[in-house]
Amino acid sequence: MQKLSVSRFALAGGLLVGLMTILVTAGVILKVPGTEVVGSFIAKYGSSYGYTVSWLGALIGGFWGFVKGFIIAWAFALIYDGLLSVGKKKQ
């Protein structure tokens, strides 16, 4: 198994969460079927400072989604690499 590039993995996680927040919010605004439930879930439980179901809110939510996704993916990659190196030392 290979180590992860922590910075690249974190960037990918941030982009994924940020873009998905923007896309789901845009789906709710444009009344795309199936996005209402996810949009209301984001607005209620995953909301960040300044997030609303609007175009400006989509950009704000995308920014905070990027920040949250970056931090979570960064922590995951660090833990993964740490556990991987511990496993290699035992062999």
Side-chain angles (χ1 to χ4, degrees):
M1 298 186 125
Q2 294 184 24
K3 284 190 160 194
L4 297 173
S5 171
V6 176
S7 59
R8 290 180 181 176
F9 194 81
L11 181 63
L15 288 174
L16 178 69
V17 175
L19 288 175
M20 289 307 298
T21 304
I22 292 170
L23 289 175
V24 168
T25 305
V28 172
I29 293 169
L30 298 173
K31 297 187 180 356
V32 175
T35 58
E36 299 88 12
V37 175
V38 179
S40 65
F41 180 80
I42 291 173
K44 187 172 183 179
Y45 298 110
S47 63
S48 300
Y49 179 73
Y51 176 78
T52 58
V53 179
S54 65
W55 291 111
L56 179 60
L59 294 177
I60 293 170
F63 169 76
W64 287 115
F66 175 83
V67 170
K68 290 177 183 180
F70 186 93
I71 292 170
I72 291 170
W74 176 78
F76 177 84
L78 281 179
I79 292 168
Y80 177 85
D81 286 349
L83 291 173
L84 192 62
S85 64
V86 169
K88 285 185 178 180
K89 287 180 184 176
K90 288 185 178 181
Q91 292 178 356

